[in-house]
Amino acid sequence: MSRFFSEKYAALTPYTPGEQPTDNEYVKLNTNESPFPPSPKAIACAAEEAARLELYSDPTCRKLAERLASHLGLDFDEVLMTNGSDEILNFAFMAFCDRDHPAVFPDITYGFYPVFAELNSVPYAEIPLKADFTVDVNDYLGVGKTIFLANPNAPTGLALCRDDVEKIVKSNPNSVVVVDEAYVDFGGESCIGLIHQYDNLLVTQTFSKSRSMAGARLGFGAGCKELIRDLNTIKYSTNPYNVNRMTMAAGYGVLEDEGYTRENCAVIIENRAYTTDALRALGFTVLDSRANFVFAKADWIGGGDLYRALKDRGVLVRHFERERLKDYNRITIGSRSQMETLLTTIEAIREDLK
Ligand code: PMP
């Protein structure tokens, strides 16, 4: 730390992103990226837009936001495009949390929530998940705090049904409920359809996973016009050109290619079922995931040991050191051949231990 670093950030523990090795030698199943390339339409639109990079991007993202809004059955001013969904989540902490409006979220969830809370000096409480890693809906009824719920949750992959989320939203009419649907396209139930009923509901989604655009950084928030206006106040006070031209164009292109996204999601869902069954046959406990990853622990090797043994053999998965998580690994669902490599590598590790 330099002697110039502001005291208000001195105690901040930043988020630790998953490893992004640059040598490309790994079967990379650690950051929930898509194994498929972006849609050819997205690539073509981005390439065309590259010739206009001397100009700033449209701060309103009008063309893309209108296209997305019509896809979601919303109006243009009910969505806000951001630099990944991480940005809209940070904006939500800035806009809807403070000393009088503390944040609340599960103890096991997306690791960025406590970081955003600390960054913005927001007091927060973590509500423990049940022993089986599910959310107890009753814990969130009438809590009167700004609620953040990843649905499906990470790193568990478990999802709440829409009716349960609606109960939470309905019982907290004076607090914003942020539903982070980063993984919803792999079998979750979206709450976007509830936005016209509840002025306290903000849904966030991303183009990083189901739309194969993690490297482009595109996410969005959807909510009533007033919530979106507040979030725009934050955006225009931080970075008006938050989405760059090539990303905006690529986002438009992929929305023109919904069939491609749907087919890829179907393949991931199929590969998830295949991987879940195969891991269970190899002595793993695997949670019932609705996301593009599975959370699994073996009865014959510890989580950290499996992570290291896989890495030594060229397969990268995600391991968390926290007490409740340390027996598990979070494994991204990739292509069928990546999953076969994972499984044969696990079999080889088990053989070596015999
Ligand atoms: N929410 C959850 C639950 C996530 O796991 C992630 C991915 N790390 C994000 C949001 C943010 O993703 P992105 O910024 O790429 O949209």
Side-chain angles (χ1 to χ4, degrees):
M1 190 191 318
S2 82
R3 62 204 163 90
F4 306 107
F5 196 40
S6 167
E7 232 175 72
K8 65 180 183 234
Y9 299 124
L12 188 64
T13 310
Y15 176 71
T16 314
E19 295 162 85
Q20 297 293 352
T22 44
D23 49 20
N24 259 342
E25 274 168 26
Y26 290 98
V27 175
K28 198 169 172 304
L29 305 175
N30 68 327
T31 46
N32 300 339
E33 290 141 327
S34 170
F36 308 112
S39 143
K41 288 194 180 165
I43 296 173
C45 289
E48 202 186 320
E49 199 61 23
R52 284 184 279 273
L53 284 180
E54 77 279 16
L55 302 174
Y56 284 111
S57 58
D58 170 13
T60 69
C61 287
R62 183 163 281 275
K63 188 175 166 201
L64 171 60
E66 276 180 349
R67 181 72 188 77
L68 177 68
S70 89
H71 173 70
L72 300 172
L74 300 173
D75 287 333
F76 164 72
D77 47 9
E78 291 170 325
V79 299
L80 172 60
M81 308 307 304
T82 52
N83 192 310
S85 57
D86 280 339
E87 188 177 54
I88 189 82
L89 291 165
N90 187 32
F91 286 176
F93 274 91
M94 292 170 83
F96 307 123
C97 302
D98 54 32
R99 303 229 154 259
D100 299 328
H101 304 88
V104 67
F105 39 81
D107 63 336
I108 293 168
T109 189
Y110 185 31
F112 228 137
Y113 301 159
V115 179
F116 286 140
E118 274 164 31
L119 177 70
N120 295 301
S121 307
V122 168
Y124 65 94
E126 294 178 312
I127 301 183
L129 293 178
K130 292 198 272 188
D132 63 359
F133 293 113
T134 57
V135 168
D136 187 340
V137 174
N138 296 315
D139 289 341
Y140 294 86
L141 299 182
V143 287
K145 294 176 179 160
T146 307
I147 298 171
F148 290 81
L149 281 175
N151 192 38
N153 197 11
T156 64
L158 300 175
L160 288 171
C161 66
R162 184 174 20 232
D163 288 350
D164 280 345
V165 181
E166 184 172 5
K167 270 188 214 159
I168 294 170
V169 175
K170 207 174 188 166
S171 74
N172 289 283
N174 298 318
S175 305
V176 174
V177 179
V178 180
V179 184
D180 171 354
E181 297 186 350
Y183 300 105
V184 75
D185 294 334
F186 303 102
E189 277 189 303
S190 177
C191 287
I192 284 191
L194 298 175
I195 278 165
H196 289 148
Q197 273 165 270
Y198 299 100
D199 69 355
N200 62 326
L201 171 63
L202 179 73
V203 177
T204 66
Q205 287 191 13
T206 182
F207 282 53
S208 295
K209 319 290 178 184
S210 58
R211 296 195 161 88
S212 301
M213 281 179 47
R217 313 305 301 126
L218 186 62
F220 65 92
C224 72
K225 294 179 177 39
E226 291 74 20
L227 288 186
I228 296 301
R229 198 175 304 137
D230 297 341
L231 291 160
N232 264 310
T233 300
I234 303 290
K235 165 185 144 147
Y236 282 93
S237 307
T238 49
N239 186 8
Y241 308 108
N242 60 337
V243 180
N244 73 72
R245 278 183 168 268
M246 288 173 72
T247 293
M248 234 184 258
Y252 189 89
V254 72
L255 289 175
E256 292 285 290
D257 204 359
E258 257 311 282
Y260 182 79
T261 300
R262 264 201 307 273
E263 273 167 36
N264 287 345
C265 289
V267 173
I268 295 297
I269 291 168
E270 201 181 298
N271 290 351
R272 181 177 71 205
Y274 164 78
T275 309
T276 302
D277 290 348
L279 285 173
R280 285 179 181 155
L282 286 168
F284 281 78
T285 302
V286 187
L287 303 192
D288 277 321
S289 172
R290 298 293 186 92
N292 67 339
F293 55 84
V294 289
F295 199 51
K297 75 168 174 183
D299 57 8
W300 48 271
I301 186 169
D305 288 339
L306 179 61
Y307 160 78
R308 282 181 290 274
L310 281 168
K311 190 172 178 187
D312 287 346
R313 290 166 174 81
V315 180
L316 210 49
V317 299
R318 186 90 193 248
H319 179 251
F320 300 91
E321 297 290 346
R322 273 179 65 178
E323 189 53 34
R324 269 185 94 179
L325 306 180
K326 68 179 180 13
D327 294 339
Y328 288 78
N329 278 290
R330 192 195 66 191
I331 304 169
T332 302
I333 300 298
S335 64
R336 184 58 74 105
S337 86
Q338 286 178 313
M339 295 295 100
E340 280 162 3
T341 305
L342 166 84
L343 294 163
T344 51
T345 310
I346 290 175
E347 273 165 6
I349 293 166
R350 195 171 63 162
E351 277 309 304
D352 286 356
L353 287 178
K354 274 185 186 159

